[in-house]
Amino acid sequence: AAQVIYNESERMHRMVLDLLDLAKLDAGTADLKMSAVDVRALLNAVAEKFAPQSQRAGVKIEADIPADLPLLIADGDRMAQVFTNLTDNALKFTPQGGMVTLRAFLDTDKMNISVIDTGAGIPEEDLPHIFQRFYQADPARKGGEAHSAGLGLAIVHEIVAVHGGKISVQSRKGAGTTMEVILPLAPPGAVKASQKN
């Protein structure tokens, strides 16, 4: 009983921290530390971080990033948070024998970064809602020890937005999911902010 209470209090603590984080991002008061970010190094680090989890799940994970990708002006920790969340979700819903790919390329003055999986996909009726707070497309995630509060993608959406970017999803039930993040190379005011830090 004590363990159950402890686990639940930990989950509630994480949810409160996530809600505070969302409130700061919403209000524009989040402390962003803008600097030059090596996206190739960041995505390779995310892929390496999840290598043990992917091996246990029997899912291949790879990073497909060109060597000459330019630097991005962004908050590196926040960007790591975005792609850690997206990669974690992709692995959770990709069955054994599947694949998760982190891909990035330059599109004129914008960086296009995608997390692509060959998993179960998201039902069409859920797609417009997945970035809403507390929304969970998969009913199976609403129970059990590891269930989440449905705040991860809402936080990802807000982090991308405060960087002047956009996130979108393409998915079909049974045909995998692609989460696409498009970010300006230098959001308005970011260069000055990076020079101060």
Side-chain angles (χ1 to χ4, degrees), residues 16-197:
V16 168
L17 291 178
D18 284 346
L19 284 168
L20 287 171
D21 202 18
L22 264 174
K24 287 179 184 177
L25 289 163
D26 273 348
T29 58
D31 184 22
L32 296 181
K33 295 175 174 58
M34 306 298 275
S35 63
V37 176
D38 184 338
V39 172
R40 187 168 191 262
L42 187 149
L43 295 179
N44 279 325
V46 170
E48 285 174 22
K49 174 183 174 180
F50 283 101
Q53 182 180 327
S54 69
Q55 286 169 4
R56 285 194 301 272
V59 176
K60 186 177 179 183
I61 184 166
E62 66 175 22
D64 177 17
I65 305 114
D68 60 349
L69 204 63
L71 296 175
L72 181 73
I73 302 298
D75 183 319
D77 289 341
R78 289 295 193 169
M79 285 296 108
Q81 185 180 355
V82 165
F83 296 106
T84 293
N85 181 285
L86 296 180
T87 304
D88 186 42
N89 281 348
L91 281 171
K92 281 178 185 172
F93 296 102
T94 301
Q96 187 172 4
M99 176 179 279
V100 173
T101 305
L102 282 65
R103 184 169 293 153
F105 63 89
L106 184 65
D107 183 8
T108 316
D109 60 344
K110 292 182 171 58
M111 187 85 70
N112 185 306
I113 310 168
S114 298
V115 178
I116 305 153
D117 69 59
T118 59
I122 301 168
E124 189 177 346
E125 62 271 19
D126 290 320
L127 290 175
H129 310 290
I130 64 165
F131 297 113
Q132 293 174 4
R133 298 161 198 214
F134 302 110
Y135 191 83
Q136 294 168 328
D138 185 351
R141 293 185 67 188
K142 294 179 183 176
E145 241 177 67
H147 73 290
S148 69
L151 291 170
L153 287 178
I155 291 172
V156 163
H157 183 274
E158 291 301 324
I159 292 171
V160 171
V162 298
H163 280 82
K166 292 181 180 178
I167 182 169
S168 62
V169 56
Q170 294 88 43
S171 184
R172 269 198 353 265
K173 190 73 174 168
T177 300
T178 297
M179 289 284 186
E180 182 183 63
V181 175
I182 298 175
L183 295 162
L185 290 180
V191 176
K192 287 181 183 177
S194 69
Q195 287 169 350
K196 288 178 186 175
N197 293 328

